């Protein structure tokens, strides 16, 4: 699916809610779109399936510009795009089977055909034993399963999920994400996951776009977005997930410029195999640095390790350029993020060296 230069303005006074958004979502991918509240995520989804007419731009689904369609052709094309929501949108007057049968009824399928097509869908989402239950008898996770089954009824090529797990507890969220990944693999279905939580995307989305004030400010593999966040918005989503930011107590001690008694503070991002290398030991033995670790952790994105380590390169002195180029040669990303005044102990040791 291609989103080409999509814009949406509701009122000239308020300005554009979507501003020249372009994205390529590859068939069979799980593609995340993350943004703060009000960033324009739901508007983007509604423009993709044309519940809302974009002010400009095109949406290409399976090679077809659906923004050019009207009436019956548009309704037909829309069937190729399934959608699930935060609040499940399950009709309380219908049973589980009745809810899943709705899209078939709307499409005018004969009753016998509907009776044949509903059970496999319930099976797929793990609700085979709940066919006759009413929504009031279901948990949130089960209601979302009904939503998923209903969205898949007409064999869409794309499933749009707008905050589909936001109303669920963490364990149920994981179960629903596992179900989506399962469906993605089994059916080869393209999934667009819209969320304000990076946790939701970390393990299942191959690519992520960061939306801010209606613009795409970053797009790339989930790993790269997590490992190398460039914008403040991208960073803000990673708090708690990846240790890019220092705890405030430590941050306060950093100086922007070196002073007589300071050492540089390095932030090293370890990716892939380097995450397992004894980098710190090497800094000690090759460069006679006494690293003082301020902050760090290793996380996993999918199955790739991603480590962020912030350390004071005590005693590095004039060897700093050599240290930086050595770390770069190991394909680590390294950055001097400030300077720390040497502690009394380090000063004493520095004098000895
Ligand atoms: N129909 C509308 N008419 C006017 N303004 C709208 C309309 N729909 C959305 N907006 C405005 O567009 C902006 C983006 O809203 P949108 O619902 O797309 O954000 P969102 O990223 O989905 O936020 P959330 O995370 O809270 O769901 C908001 O400022 C909102 O007020
Ligand atoms: Mg929204």
């Amino acid at each position: 699916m291609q989103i080409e230069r999509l814009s949406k303005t509701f009122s000239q006074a308020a300005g554009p809610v979507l501003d020249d958004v372009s994205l390529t979502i590859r068939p069979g991918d799980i593609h995340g779109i993350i943004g703060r509240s009000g960033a324009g995520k739901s508007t983007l989804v509604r423009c993709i399936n044309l519940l809302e007419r974009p002010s400009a731009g095109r949406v290409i689904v399976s090679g077809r510009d659906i923004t050019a369609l009207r009436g019956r052709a548009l309704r037909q094309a829309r069937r190729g795009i399934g959608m699930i929501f935060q609040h499940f949108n399950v009709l309380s007057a219908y049973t589980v089977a009745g809810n899943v049968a709705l899209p078939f009824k709307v499409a005018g399928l004969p009753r016998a055909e509907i009776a044949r097509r509903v059970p496999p869908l319930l099976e797929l989402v793990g609700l085979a034993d709940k066919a006759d239950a009413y929504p009031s008898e279901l948990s949130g996770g089960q209601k979302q399963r009904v939503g998923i089954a209903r969205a898949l009824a007409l064999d869409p090529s794309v499933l749009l999920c707008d905050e589909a797990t936001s109303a669920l507890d963490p364990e149920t969220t994981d179960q629903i994400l596992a179900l989506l990944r399962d469906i993605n693999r089994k059916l080869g279905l393209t999934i667009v996951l819209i969320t304000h939580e990076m946790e939701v995307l970390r393990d299942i989305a191959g690519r992520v776009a960061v939306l801010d004030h209606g613009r795409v400010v970053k797009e790339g593999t989930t790993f790269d977005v997590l490992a190398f966040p460039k914008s403040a918005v991208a960073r803000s989503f990673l708090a708690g997930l990846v240790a890019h930011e220092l705890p405030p107590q430590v941050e306060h001690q950093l100086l922007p410029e070196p002073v007589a008694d300071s050492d540089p503070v390095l932030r090293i991002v370890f990716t892939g195999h380097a995450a397992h290398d004894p980098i710190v030991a090497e800094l000690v033995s090759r460069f006679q640095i006494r690293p003082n670790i301020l902050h760090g952790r290793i996380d996993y994105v999918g199955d790739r390790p991603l480590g962020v380590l912030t350390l004071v390169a005590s005693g590095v002195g004039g060897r700093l350029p050599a240290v930086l180029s050595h770390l770069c040669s190991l394909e680590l990303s390294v950055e001097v993020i400030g300077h720390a005044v040497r502690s009394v102990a380090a000063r004493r040791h520095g004098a000895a060296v």
Side-chain angles (χ1 to χ4, degrees), residues 10-11 14 17-18 35-44 46 52 86 162-163 194-196 211:
F10 289 104
S11 80
V17 169
L18 294 177
R36 293 181 184 135
S37 183
K41 304 180 297 294
S42 296
T43 306
L44 177 59
R46 294 170 60 80
E52 201 80 70
Q86 176 172 358
D162 189 2
E163 302 281 5
I194 286 116
T195 178
H196 61 278
L211 197 67

Side-chain angles (χ1 to χ4, degrees), residues 8-255:
K8 177 73 189 180
T9 302
F10 289 104
S11 80
Q12 291 303 333
V17 169
L18 294 177
D19 190 2
D20 204 8
V21 171
S22 293
L23 279 177
T24 296
I25 293 164
R26 292 180 303 199
D29 262 9
I30 298 183
H31 199 119
I33 296 178
I34 187 164
R36 293 181 184 135
S37 183
K41 304 180 297 294
S42 296
T43 306
L44 177 59
V45 179
R46 294 170 60 80
C47 284
I48 291 176
N49 64 12
L50 294 174
L51 286 173
E52 201 80 70
R53 274 268 152 206
S55 311
R58 309 196 305 162
V59 178
I60 317 280
V61 179
S62 308
R64 199 146 156 240
D65 175 9
I66 62 166
T67 33
L69 304 175
R70 294 283 189 280
R72 220 172 85 88
L74 176 58
R75 282 196 296 280
Q76 192 74 32
R78 236 192 231 137
R79 287 182 190 169
I81 307 175
M83 175 133 184
I84 57 174
F85 308 88
Q86 176 172 358
H87 293 297
F88 320 132
N89 287 32
V90 179
L91 299 187
S92 57
Y94 291 82
T95 62
V96 167
N99 267 283
V100 177
L102 280 172
F104 295 126
K105 282 192 184 162
V106 172
L109 261 66
R111 197 188 280 252
E113 174 78 5
I114 297 177
R116 196 176 63 74
R117 291 184 58 175
V118 169
L121 282 166
L122 294 181
E123 188 75 43
L124 181 68
V125 299
L127 286 181
D129 57 338
K130 295 279 180 198
D132 299 322
Y134 283 88
S136 60
E137 303 167 277
L138 301 179
S139 69
Q142 288 167 335
K143 283 184 206 167
Q144 195 54 292
R145 285 169 194 269
V146 176
I148 294 170
R150 200 178 49 194
L152 296 179
L154 301 176
D155 288 328
S157 59
V158 181
L159 179 65
L160 305 176
C161 311
D162 189 2
E163 302 281 5
T165 58
S166 297
L168 303 173
D169 63 49
E171 199 185 335
T172 314
T173 292
D174 287 346
Q175 289 167 3
I176 293 294
L177 292 176
L179 173 64
L180 289 174
R181 175 157 49 187
D182 200 38
I183 290 168
N184 160 261
R185 288 187 182 154
K186 247 187 228 160
L187 310 180
L189 182 73
T190 310
I191 297 182
V192 181
L193 271 184
I194 286 116
T195 178
H196 61 278
E197 296 169 303
M198 201 66 198
E199 282 96 324
V200 168
L201 304 178
R202 179 181 55 190
D203 297 326
I204 88 163
R207 298 184 75 84
V208 173
V210 181
L211 197 67
D212 188 41
H213 292 101
R215 301 184 72 97
V216 175
V217 294
K218 170 104 191 173
E219 204 274 335
T221 66
T222 305
F223 191 88
D224 285 349
V225 171
L226 280 164
F228 312 109
K230 290 285 183 290
S231 66
V233 203
R235 267 177 210 260
S236 73
F237 287 116
L238 307 183
L241 268 189
V242 180
H244 287 297
E245 309 285 356
L246 286 173
Q249 303 89 318
V250 179
E251 181 104 46
H252 287 151
Q253 297 168 17
L254 292 195
L255 308 170

